[in-house]
Amino acid sequence: MSKRKTVVLGGIFSLVLLSNTVFSQVTHSPYSSIGIGDVLDPTTASKFGMAGLGISNHSYYNLNISNPALLYYNQVALFSAALLIESKTINQEGFEPYEAGSGQLNHMALAFPLMSGKLSTSLVLSPYSAVNYNVSYVAPIIGHLSDSAQYVSKGDGGIDQLTLSLGGELFKGFSLGVKASYLFSSIRKESASYIPFVGTNYYLSTYNERLSFNGFLFGGGAAYSYKFGENNSAINIGATYDLETDLSSKYFARIDQELVSGSTIFADTLANDDPVTVKLPAKIGLGISYNHKNVLVAGIDYIVQDWAISKDPVSGASLYAKREKYVFGVEITPDVASVNNYLKRATYRIGTSYTKTPYIIGENHIEEFGINFGLSLPVVRFSSLDFGFQFGNRGTLTNNLIKENYFKIYFGVSFNDNRWFLRPKFN
């Protein structure tokens, strides 16, 4: 095996081992304290520039991880990875705005053709959900309104997924794909309260929870491309479906009472890796796009997942509602074959998305809106440097709720090379 392939495959293996720290901080939001946190749609840096559009629109030089049926368009070996950087302002009536930021690896993938132009496969490591919050506030003690207590709630982690996909063309223009994802990692939450007194000898009560995940998720996709005219323009349609699954989990809970100096006074384990089940609902994606002469691509995606069936694995309480996402995206490549003008070979993208999140606080269904921009700069051998930017907001200030305004930067690389799996020859 060549040194290049050894480095790539070794990197993926390392990320499988380290993914709990690599992907766990992909978000920073008080809303992620609910259930398994923010549920994420898989995307690459190039698709991020179009707000994640990818269910029907294929690409020859950028990996599509939204619909496995479109994998076969990649006719060379491809390695893809991306970093996500986020800056966020969290607002609530009566409080000073809180600034937060994060940066982490968002995905890593390897794909290669099994039968050029007919069948391809991919291996992708990415987050399925993410938890990251830290909230502190002071509130009166029930029954003793003249006294107040300090409350601190924080959590991190999430569910990661390692996905093996296979996609191929059944007949001209029509393709099918299947995928199997191994879901793993854990979510850690901590809630603490104390009544501050003058001095240092006051008690701190802490409730620690850990939910560990282990299981499989299966899904598939279909796509059809109808070409017309003499310039290979096409109408593309696509659909994806992830099966409903019961994810095996283990629940750990412990309550501690200690002095603020750190000395433990009392500790009791309430649950020691007790088996519980987390239900992940089925997920449906539909998309349609138009490709004009391989210069202009425009499309719409719709994703729906009814999280109302998912209950808290410990209390059995309802946590979520139906999640719906609408995406519209456009990309333009002025002239991919231009020799004299580098900027004509670049790809420019714009997109927008509206999401009715699964979070319901009181009677308020939390909504999210984002505007995206993207750019792909070609480098040697059809590879590219991919940039994506998003301005967005989530939530509302009404009814004492939280509104988040954020800016995200997505930076990715795609290496395409048809020599990875060719046997070298010497004269």
Side-chain angles (χ1 to χ4, degrees):
M1 183 180 292
S2 70
K3 182 177 180 181
R4 178 185 302 175
K5 287 181 283 186
T6 301
V7 170
V8 171
L9 296 176
I12 290 181
F13 179 72
S14 298
L15 281 177
V16 172
L17 298 178
L18 299 175
S19 63
N20 192 49
T21 57
V22 170
F23 294 116
S24 61
Q25 305 303 313
V26 76
T27 188
H28 190 110
S29 170
Y31 290 114
S32 71
S33 64
I34 302 173
I36 62 171
D38 283 347
V39 178
L40 308 171
D41 297 311
T43 189
T44 60
S46 59
K47 296 295 186 290
F48 185 77
M50 293 186 288
L53 187 81
I55 295 177
S56 67
N57 50 306
H58 59 265
S59 173
Y60 291 99
Y61 304 116
N62 293 109
L63 181 62
N64 186 318
I65 63 177
S66 300
N67 188 346
L70 299 173
L71 276 176
Y72 81 97
Y73 282 96
N74 297 113
Q75 300 182 22
V76 297
L78 184 151
F79 171 75
S80 173
L83 294 171
L84 175 61
I85 300 172
E86 180 185 64
S87 176
K88 178 176 290 185
T89 301
I90 301 173
N91 299 280
Q92 187 178 21
E93 290 288 351
F95 294 89
E96 291 292 327
Y98 175 72
E99 304 287 340
S102 62
Q104 60 284 315
L105 186 68
N106 189 251
H107 86 271
M108 197 170 189
L110 177 67
F112 55 89
L114 299 177
M115 298 174 59
S116 183
K118 289 294 182 181
L119 184 66
S120 291
T121 187
S122 69
L123 184 65
V124 181
L125 187 61
S126 64
Y128 181 88
S129 76
V131 173
N132 186 21
Y133 64 94
N134 193 332
V135 179
S136 176
Y137 60 96
V138 177
I141 300 174
I142 298 176
H144 299 272
L145 298 181
S146 60
D147 297 318
S148 296
Q150 181 82 32
Y151 297 88
V152 178
S153 180
K154 58 184 178 181
D156 60 48
I159 302 177
D160 299 328
Q161 58 182 341
L162 181 64
T163 303
L164 178 65
S165 301
L166 185 71
E169 187 181 42
L170 266 65
F171 53 85
K172 187 175 182 180
F174 180 75
S175 59
L176 291 176
V178 294
K179 67 176 184 178
S181 299
Y182 174 62
L183 276 62
F184 59 102
S185 199
S186 62
I187 293 173
R188 297 163 296 276
K189 297 182 179 181
E190 178 182 301
S191 300
S193 62
Y194 63 93
I195 303 174
F197 295 102
V198 177
T200 59
N201 292 321
Y202 57 85
Y203 294 107
L204 178 70
S205 297
T206 306
Y207 188 73
N208 294 285
E209 297 178 280
R210 183 184 68 244
L211 199 58
S212 303
F213 304 93
N214 192 312
F216 290 91
L217 173 66
F218 300 96
Y224 179 71
S225 179
Y226 172 71
K227 295 184 178 180
F228 59 92
E230 299 179 356
N231 297 299
N232 290 324
S233 294
I235 296 291
N236 310 304
I237 58 175
T240 59
Y241 185 77
D242 290 352
L243 297 173
E244 178 183 314
T245 187
D246 290 332
L247 192 60
S248 299
S249 308
K250 293 181 179 180
Y251 179 69
F252 174 86
R254 188 184 74 243
I255 187 169
D256 296 317
Q257 188 178 43
E258 58 187 20
L259 292 173
V260 71
S261 59
S263 301
T264 300
I265 305 300
F266 171 81
D268 187 18
T269 298
L270 306 178
N272 191 8
D273 287 338
D274 294 349
V276 295
T277 299
V278 175
K279 185 176 289 293
L280 302 181
K283 180 180 178 181
I284 300 173
L286 302 172
I288 184 170
S289 60
Y290 169 64
N291 186 323
H292 179 66
K293 302 180 182 180
N294 293 319
V295 173
L296 169 69
V297 176
I300 300 173
D301 284 352
Y302 170 70
I303 300 170
V304 61
Q305 196 172 17
D306 191 1
W307 281 93
I309 69 168
S310 185
K311 311 295 183 181
D312 185 277
V314 180
S315 68
S318 298
L319 297 174
Y320 292 118
K322 181 186 291 186
R323 175 180 184 262
E324 295 181 275
K325 184 176 182 179
Y326 302 84
V327 174
F328 173 73
V330 177
E331 75 171 16
I332 297 175
T333 308
D335 185 359
V336 70
S338 177
V339 176
N340 299 321
N341 193 325
Y342 177 80
L343 294 180
K344 286 186 176 181
R345 301 201 306 273
T347 300
Y348 308 90
R349 302 181 177 93
I350 187 171
T352 184
S353 63
Y354 164 76
T355 305
K356 185 178 289 188
T357 76
Y359 303 131
I360 288 188
I361 313 297
E363 296 182 355
N364 299 275
H365 204 149
I366 305 302
E367 300 176 338
E368 182 173 359
F369 177 77
I371 298 177
N372 297 54
F373 304 91
L375 172 68
S376 284
L377 300 176
V379 291
V380 66
R381 293 188 178 277
F382 305 107
S383 301
S384 65
L385 301 178
D386 305 309
F387 301 87
F389 309 91
Q390 183 184 41
F391 297 89
N393 63 77
R394 175 167 66 170
T396 176
L397 294 177
T398 60
N399 297 325
N400 202 34
L401 294 178
I402 292 171
K403 184 173 183 178
E404 304 170 346
N405 297 303
Y406 57 81
F407 173 61
K408 296 180 181 180
I409 300 176
Y410 217 123
F411 170 66
V413 292
S414 295
F415 296 112
N416 295 275
D417 198 331
N418 60 1
R419 301 173 301 171
W420 285 14
F421 299 94
L422 296 179
R423 184 184 300 274
K425 298 181 180 180
F426 304 93
N427 293 326

